Amino acid sequence: MKKYILIFLLLPLLAFSQKIDSKEVMAVKKFQKDLDKEYLDPKETPLRGDNFKNFKKHPFFPIDMKYRVVAKFVKTEDPKPFDLPTSSGKTKSYREYGKATFKIDGKSYTLTLYQSLDLIKQEKYKNDLFLPFRDATNEKETYGGGKYLDLKIPKGNTIVLDFNQSYHPYCAYNAYDYNCPIVPEENKLPVEIRAGVMYEDIYHH
């Protein structure tokens, strides 16, 4: 009898956890759909010529909630502006905003989050944070220069990093027209982040 009572008690919990997951998964699916839509739009796409004509959709890693992590967030006190090198050999002005520490498979990692000093002058971007990172999938299943993640300033001392929503810089597809920030050395992870956009046969996938 106790066994059946336990099953009945667990069923609402399972339904509740699936509901939470589906909301998170839906957010990733929306990100994927929006990214494909952007690249298919002639006014927004970084693709040119045959690359644009042949593009159907991005290849993505399977959605994996292991790569949606709640990180401990520590804001940087009195950050100084600095010049971040870019793919064209120029620089862009950023400042460090804080550090996010999280665990994947029981191991702890820390990444630095930045703010673009140009973008935060605009009202719609004033709460935006920029997370460029590299990991062990680069030059294999993802772009050699790394990937980006867009975030908002958190209200408390934690921040959600959903690597399922990580994407490649425009330079991955068009190095001539775009000038992309290079991932700082401190944001190179020694682990595979098998989430977000992949970089294999994008134009004919």
Side-chain angles (χ1 to χ4, degrees), residues 31-193:
F31 159 79
Q32 293 180 349
K33 187 178 174 184
D34 288 349
L35 193 68
D36 285 342
K37 187 179 172 186
E38 178 188 339
Y39 274 62
L40 287 164
D41 184 339
K43 291 178 183 173
E44 293 189 41
T45 186
L47 304 175
R48 298 289 179 265
D50 286 346
N51 289 340
F52 174 67
K53 194 169 71 177
N54 295 329
F55 178 76
K56 301 291 185 289
K57 62 179 181 176
H58 288 88
F60 294 96
F61 284 104
I63 297 171
D64 188 343
M65 286 298 132
K66 176 174 94 169
Y67 296 110
R68 184 185 187 277
V69 296
V70 179
K72 180 187 173 189
F73 177 75
V74 178
K75 188 177 177 184
T76 303
E77 294 298 322
D78 193 28
K80 301 289 186 289
F82 71 98
D83 292 331
L84 190 59
T86 67
S87 53
S88 71
K90 297 177 182 176
T91 59
K92 289 186 177 182
S93 295
Y94 283 82
R95 71 180 172 203
E96 184 178 310
Y97 190 83
K99 292 188 183 291
T101 301
F102 58 94
K103 285 187 177 180
I104 289 179
D105 292 333
K107 291 190 176 179
S108 185
Y109 304 99
T110 298
L111 290 171
T112 303
L113 286 60
Y114 307 93
Q115 277 188 321
S116 163
L117 296 184
D118 291 329
L119 283 180
I120 60 171
K121 291 172 188 170
Q122 300 179 47
E123 183 66 26
K124 64 178 176 177
Y125 296 123
K126 69 175 185 179
N127 292 318
D128 285 19
L129 297 178
F130 174 55
L131 174 53
F133 69 96
R134 289 188 64 185
D135 70 277
T137 67
N138 298 155
E139 295 179 358
K140 290 183 267 183
E141 293 136 310
T142 59
Y143 175 55
K147 294 167 84 175
Y148 296 165
L149 195 56
D150 294 334
L151 301 162
K152 297 289 182 187
I153 293 173
K155 289 184 171 65
N157 59 359
T158 61
I159 187 167
V160 173
L161 309 181
D162 191 346
F163 292 105
N164 293 287
Q165 298 189 43
S166 59
Y167 62 94
H168 290 130
Y170 279 174
C171 301
Y173 313 109
N174 180 351
Y176 300 102
D177 294 337
Y178 294 95
N179 184 22
C180 307
I182 293 170
V183 177
E185 200 67 34
E186 63 188 346
N187 275 7
K188 292 183 181 177
L189 297 170
V191 65
E192 288 188 336
I193 303 292

